[in-house]
Amino acid sequence: MNKKSQLKQNNRGRTSVRSTSLRTRLLITTILLVFIPVLITGAAASYISSQGLQQDVFDQLESVATLKEAQIKTWLESLQTNLDLIFANPDSLERVSELVLNQSSAEQAKSTVRSELTNNSQRSGYFTEIFVIDKDGQVVVSTASGQEGKIMTSQPFFHEGLKGRYITPPNYELSLSNYTIVISQPLISNTGKTIGVVAGRVNLNTLNDIMQQRAGLGDTGETYMISSNFAVLTNLRFGETVLGQTYIHTDGATQAIKNKANGFGNYRDYRDIAVAGVYHWVPELQIAVLAEHSESEALQSANRVLQVTLGLVAI
């Protein structure tokens, strides 16, 4: 092969290499021009979708917490109504008035009134004890006869009960090994005179039943109540509850009690598991209601959206 032919062949080779190199660069540039916008769009769509789905979780928990709070307030109204009706009968009111004003000669009257109170308590199921206190603070008659004669002058439900309707925040009583709520109001005679206080020690099983209803909470959700000193008042779904000994100091609980307001956020629950949580402050009882859902379940839908988006980007 002469030099001229060799030179032409080399030129063709260089031209071919340059052409291949240019095609490669154009191909890479085209891929990048397509891939980068698609990747950015996919990432943005996944982020927006994730935020939207997480907000849906908070909205669902908010609905649950709002429903629980409404059920608690309805329950409180029922308690008050039942207490109003205890002496709605004029004859019953006359008997208890006579008992309060003439205790020394009213043993038979006491037995009759106690029986009426016991029947009311058993029929409604709202109270574990119903009792009447005279204006000196002494328990005149009670469904728990062992309470009769005790002095209640140091109790807020006595002082406030003389003025009007009153509900005590949950308070742990060592003698009962349980938390109690007492609802009280003035005992007014047929003549319109305040002669004492009628009070009921509330059956708290209803609160526990309300918190155990799990509609809208998925597989990992739960709701529970805590008092203003962080004590757990209702059963926990994922942990043992010992009344008077179990306390919760999560960020959600702290914010609810500290700010005495409603709110939401992501934090670690009493098991140290990441959750999405909503908390409501119930001023009538000075308690907080918390509705929580594990983040892992809450983000499952968002993760599926991300996987689909990444698959489409790859295709």
Side-chain angles (χ1 to χ4, degrees):
M1 182 181 294
N2 57 34
K3 292 183 178 180
K4 187 174 182 180
S5 297
Q6 182 68 38
L7 182 60
K8 287 181 179 180
Q9 186 175 356
N10 291 338
N11 288 337
R12 282 197 298 271
R14 285 193 293 272
T15 300
S16 177
V17 171
R18 286 197 299 272
S19 176
T20 301
S21 178
L22 179 60
R23 282 197 300 270
T24 301
R25 289 198 298 271
L26 287 173
L27 179 60
I28 293 173
T29 301
T30 301
I31 290 173
L32 291 176
L33 287 174
V34 173
F35 180 74
I36 291 176
V38 171
L39 181 62
I40 292 174
T41 302
S46 296
Y47 175 77
I48 293 172
S49 176
S50 175
Q51 292 300 304
L53 290 170
Q54 189 171 48
Q55 186 59 49
D56 287 344
V57 171
F58 283 125
D59 290 344
Q60 181 63 36
L61 290 174
E62 176 65 29
S63 297
V64 171
T66 299
L67 175 61
K68 303 293 186 185
E69 182 179 358
Q71 289 177 311
I72 291 171
K73 290 182 178 180
T74 299
W75 173 70
L76 290 175
E77 291 173 1
S78 298
L79 290 174
Q80 192 66 68
T81 299
N82 189 270
L83 200 65
D84 289 338
L85 294 175
I86 289 176
F87 296 118
N89 185 300
D91 292 336
S92 295
L93 182 57
E94 184 65 33
R95 280 190 290 272
V96 75
S97 298
E98 178 68 21
L99 177 64
V100 171
L101 297 174
N102 303 286
Q103 296 180 42
S104 59
S105 59
E107 194 57 43
Q108 182 59 43
K110 180 181 292 188
S111 178
T112 302
V113 172
R114 186 189 302 118
S115 211
E116 291 177 342
L117 295 179
T118 299
N119 290 337
N120 183 287
S121 177
Q122 292 175 346
R123 183 172 59 252
S124 70
Y126 285 124
F127 303 105
T128 59
E129 179 191 359
I130 301 174
F131 53 103
V132 175
I133 311 170
D134 64 19
K135 292 190 73 173
D136 294 326
Q138 182 177 354
V139 177
V140 177
V141 63
S142 171
T143 55
S145 57
Q147 295 290 97
E148 293 173 1
K150 290 188 176 180
I151 304 300
M152 300 294 178
T153 51
S154 63
Q155 299 296 334
F157 60 75
F158 168 66
H159 295 289
E160 298 301 323
L162 286 171
K163 303 173 186 175
R165 294 177 175 178
Y166 181 73
I167 301 174
T168 66
N171 178 56
Y172 188 78
E173 292 196 21
L174 288 173
S175 60
L176 301 174
S177 298
N178 201 352
Y179 283 92
T180 63
I181 293 173
V182 176
I183 183 169
S184 61
Q185 65 183 41
L187 176 62
I188 300 175
S189 69
N190 287 325
T191 61
K193 181 180 178 182
T194 297
I195 59 174
V197 172
V198 57
R201 201 175 302 277
V202 177
N203 184 347
L204 298 185
N205 289 336
T206 301
L207 286 181
N208 204 59
D209 292 341
I210 291 173
M211 292 298 109
Q212 295 306 305
Q213 297 168 10
R214 300 190 52 256
L217 289 170
D219 294 332
T220 62
E222 71 171 323
T223 55
Y224 56 91
M225 284 174 39
I226 58 173
S227 68
S228 57
N229 68 342
F230 298 93
V232 177
L233 301 173
T234 56
N235 292 336
L236 299 173
R237 185 182 175 200
F238 302 108
E240 183 181 2
T241 305
V242 180
L243 295 179
Q245 299 181 32
T246 304
Y247 295 83
I248 289 180
H249 292 274
T250 62
D251 287 345
T254 300
Q255 290 301 316
I257 293 172
K258 177 182 177 182
N259 299 325
K260 291 182 169 50
N262 300 348
F264 66 92
N266 295 100
Y267 52 86
R268 305 194 76 81
D269 70 0
Y270 58 87
R271 301 166 294 166
D272 199 31
I273 291 177
V275 295
V278 167
Y279 46 87
H280 277 206
W281 179 253
V282 184
E284 291 85 351
L285 290 176
Q286 297 292 295
I287 61 169
V289 173
L290 290 95
E292 297 172 346
H293 200 299
S294 73
E295 282 190 4
S296 59
E297 183 182 357
L299 296 178
Q300 280 179 359
S301 298
N303 291 335
R304 284 195 293 270
V305 171
L306 177 61
Q307 291 168 2
V308 171
T309 302
L310 291 177
L312 293 174
V313 169
I315 292 173

